[in-house]
Amino acid sequence: MTKSILKLDIEAMARAIHALVAIIFISAISFQSCLVSANFYTDTYFNWGAKHSYIFGNGEDLNLVLDGVSGSGVQSHKAYLFGSIELLIKLVPGNSAGTVTAYYLSSTGDYHDEIDFEFLGNSTGEPYTMHTNIFTQGKGNREQQFKLWFDPTADFHNYTIHWNPNAVVWYVDSIPIRVYRNYKSEGIGFPNQQGMQVYSSLWNADNWATRGGLVKIDWSCAPFRAGLRKFNARACKWNGPVSIYQCAYPNKANWWTSPVYKQLSWDQQGKLKWVRDNYMIYNYCTDYERFNWQMAPECSKPQY
């Protein structure tokens, strides 16, 4: 009897130690993965048009440039799964018609995930269009577009993608403008299986960007410049498939898993409604003709 009790005690202690080691391991990974801030010099690189862009201000500022020769783009060295990606952007001033300044997260391959901000330029005095989209397993067509309630060329403004196991939320200056909730258990795609890198670019899209391509770039206004500042990736570093569990594990290090981020507050919901009532100009969920009345299943689900 004594030997049996002793054996059970040892087995129970072994299980407890194993569980404790697992928790410590997961916590350690999570703490190492969550970056408080980033630097353009050390944390990004130019993936095209390097001669048309430059970093300055101790690595906190970057200018993307587009001229008749080339545009330019930058991306993060690391990929992430869940957290907040923040970037301050000052868009191309004046006659920006035909230009697009993009800021987005994306994985790679035919079945990639992607979360987008794109800013479609316009003629002098006309407002920018802020275009958002989300891809899951290579499938997009989830566009929502907005006008902005300020001049995005006069100063820098904060554009944040907050992404956790429950939802993706797009923010502009801390105001939520869009929510895409996780209904993967019901067969609706959600980006929670692939790490995504951060990208930003300035490019010629005058075949579609302004009035459906009717307004072309005025190259006499070139070079066009968009300013990026204070790239912050408070996010979980992607270390391969093991990150699918590690980055979603609910602990203090993975702050994005806190219950407070499972739902917008009443104040946030009020701000979201204000934006959508007053500044939304396109919603794929109400474009019945485009989809021949075969609407995406998430369109009938509550998002916030």
Side-chain angles (χ1 to χ4, degrees), residues 6-229:
L6 180 60
K7 182 180 179 182
L8 289 172
D9 287 346
I10 291 173
E11 289 176 348
M13 185 178 296
R15 286 194 298 270
I17 290 172
H18 179 77
L20 179 61
V21 169
I23 291 170
I24 291 172
F25 172 75
I26 291 168
S27 298
I29 291 291
S30 298
F31 273 113
Q32 292 172 2
S33 300
C34 186
L35 304 178
V36 175
S37 62
N39 182 286
F40 286 118
Y41 278 129
T42 58
D43 297 296
T44 69
Y45 65 96
F46 293 111
N47 51 18
W48 66 292
K51 293 182 179 179
H52 291 69
S53 306
Y54 50 96
I55 298 171
F56 59 104
N58 297 319
E60 287 197 344
D61 286 87
L62 184 151
N63 272 0
L64 296 172
V65 180
L66 165 67
D67 61 20
V69 176
S70 175
S72 51
V74 64
Q75 72 181 81
S76 64
H77 287 290
K78 296 175 182 177
Y80 306 96
L81 181 68
F82 304 138
S84 274
I85 308 298
E86 302 181 39
L87 190 62
L88 300 182
I89 304 176
K90 184 178 181 181
L91 295 176
V92 175
N95 187 358
S96 59
T99 71
V100 169
T101 304
Y103 159 48
Y104 60 102
L105 311 182
S106 184
S107 57
T108 58
D110 292 338
Y111 299 97
H112 75 292
D113 292 339
E114 185 175 326
I115 305 168
D116 295 345
F117 273 109
E118 289 185 306
F119 303 92
L120 315 185
N122 214 332
S123 303
T124 301
E126 296 297 321
Y128 266 82
T129 295
M130 180 172 64
H131 177 98
T132 67
N133 201 357
I134 183 166
F135 289 73
T136 61
Q137 293 291 304
K139 180 184 177 182
N141 294 328
R142 299 183 177 99
E143 303 92 343
Q144 292 183 357
Q145 294 182 338
F146 306 80
K147 296 301 183 184
L148 292 163
W149 49 97
F150 53 83
D151 180 356
T153 72
D155 204 349
F156 287 88
H157 290 267
N158 183 300
Y159 302 92
T160 295
I161 296 170
H162 180 83
W163 170 34
N164 65 28
N166 297 290
V168 177
V169 185
W170 290 252
Y171 288 90
V172 176
D173 290 338
S174 299
I175 296 175
I177 63 152
R178 180 177 181 179
V179 180
Y180 182 85
R181 294 202 70 79
N182 184 354
Y183 288 105
K184 198 165 189 176
S185 62
E186 301 181 34
I188 298 171
F190 187 81
N192 62 356
Q193 302 286 309
Q194 303 181 53
M196 294 195 271
Q197 290 173 280
V198 185
Y199 297 82
S200 186
S201 58
L202 175 59
W203 51 290
N204 172 6
D206 70 1
N207 61 321
W208 66 274
T210 307
R211 294 182 58 201
L214 294 177
V215 183
K216 303 298 184 182
I217 288 181
D218 181 354
W219 291 108
S220 70
C221 299
F224 304 97
R225 291 184 175 85
L228 312 181
R229 177 174 289 176

